[in-house]
Amino acid sequence: MSLLTIRTYPDPELRRKAEEVVDFGPALRTLVADLWETMELNDGVGLAAPQVGIPLRVTVVAWKEARYTLINPEILQTSGAVTDEEGCLSFPGIFEKVTRPERLKVRYRDETGEPREVEVEGFLARAFAHEIDHLNGRLLIDHLSSLKREFVRKRLKKRIAERDRL
Ligand code: CO
């Protein structure tokens, strides 16, 4: 296993639409293991392959005891709406209020290629929606007002400038 480098906004890799996984072989197993390792070391609740520069529809989500590896996930149904604070490993230090569905029904494949369906709600539904967004090149910042977007851009720029000075 190896630790992957997480791309941060505005890295253009984050905007690519990821491709469907067709090969459920050993390369996929390695990618999944590396995503888990990288996410856990960075204390994340979700990480999508495009965030490490790999444009494939693969994402991992961990919340409390739940662990999901979602390959080619599709949202079948949504209901309700909840506004809550959300962060992203590609937006370090940023937490903003985002409205997401309260419940989601998702179809996906596990890492062996087995088709699965699950209904999730609350924070897990938020995490699934956030990660599936990543596979479509859609980011946390896209859910914010233009004023908030400007604030987030400035904060990240400042953070990068500070890091480069070290
Ligand atoms: Co994210």
Side-chain angles (χ1 to χ4, degrees):
M1 290 207 292
S2 49
L3 209 56
L4 306 168
T5 305
I6 298 175
R7 311 295 181 102
T8 53
Y9 182 83
D11 191 312
E13 284 291 326
L14 295 171
R15 289 298 188 190
R16 283 174 72 177
K17 190 174 172 6
E19 312 250 327
E20 294 267 319
V21 170
V22 287
D23 182 357
F24 288 81
L28 178 69
R29 308 287 172 91
T30 304
L31 171 62
V32 166
D34 290 349
L35 283 173
W36 276 108
E37 192 188 4
T38 304
M39 183 181 73
E40 279 165 358
L41 240 91
N42 287 281
D43 288 323
V45 292
L47 184 64
Q51 288 180 277
V52 295
I54 296 167
L56 284 175
R57 303 186 81 76
V58 179
T59 175
V60 296
V61 174
W63 178 244
K64 295 184 178 161
E65 268 76 64
R67 296 278 181 282
Y68 289 96
T69 298
L70 309 174
I71 319 266
N72 302 339
E74 278 175 79
I75 295 174
L76 300 177
Q77 221 176 342
T78 68
S79 64
V82 189
T83 305
D84 205 350
E85 252 184 20
E86 199 171 299
C88 177
L89 291 174
S90 295
F91 290 81
I94 303 288
F95 294 91
E96 290 291 339
K97 288 209 152 131
V98 176
T99 303
R100 300 280 189 186
E102 195 177 357
R103 275 173 298 274
L104 287 183
K105 191 174 182 183
V106 175
R107 179 190 290 153
Y108 65 100
R109 287 181 187 272
D110 67 16
E111 59 190 286
T112 68
E114 205 58 44
R116 291 177 184 273
E117 251 179 55
V118 68
E119 277 187 65
V120 285
E121 57 175 29
F123 191 82
L124 211 42
R126 171 172 303 276
F128 273 40
H130 177 110
E131 296 312 319
I132 292 169
D133 263 4
H134 272 302
L135 306 181
N136 297 318
R138 191 166 160 82
L139 303 172
L140 174 61
I141 197 166
D142 303 330
H143 292 272
L144 307 180
S145 68
S146 56
L147 201 69
K148 280 270 171 68
R149 270 205 290 272
E150 222 23 68
F151 164 78
V152 167
R153 281 200 193 99
K154 278 190 190 136
R155 263 195 68 180
L156 286 174
K157 229 183 231 168
K158 206 173 141 203
R159 211 187 146 99
I160 289 166
E162 281 166 1
R163 192 191 57 200
D164 291 349
R165 237 183 286 134
L166 296 175

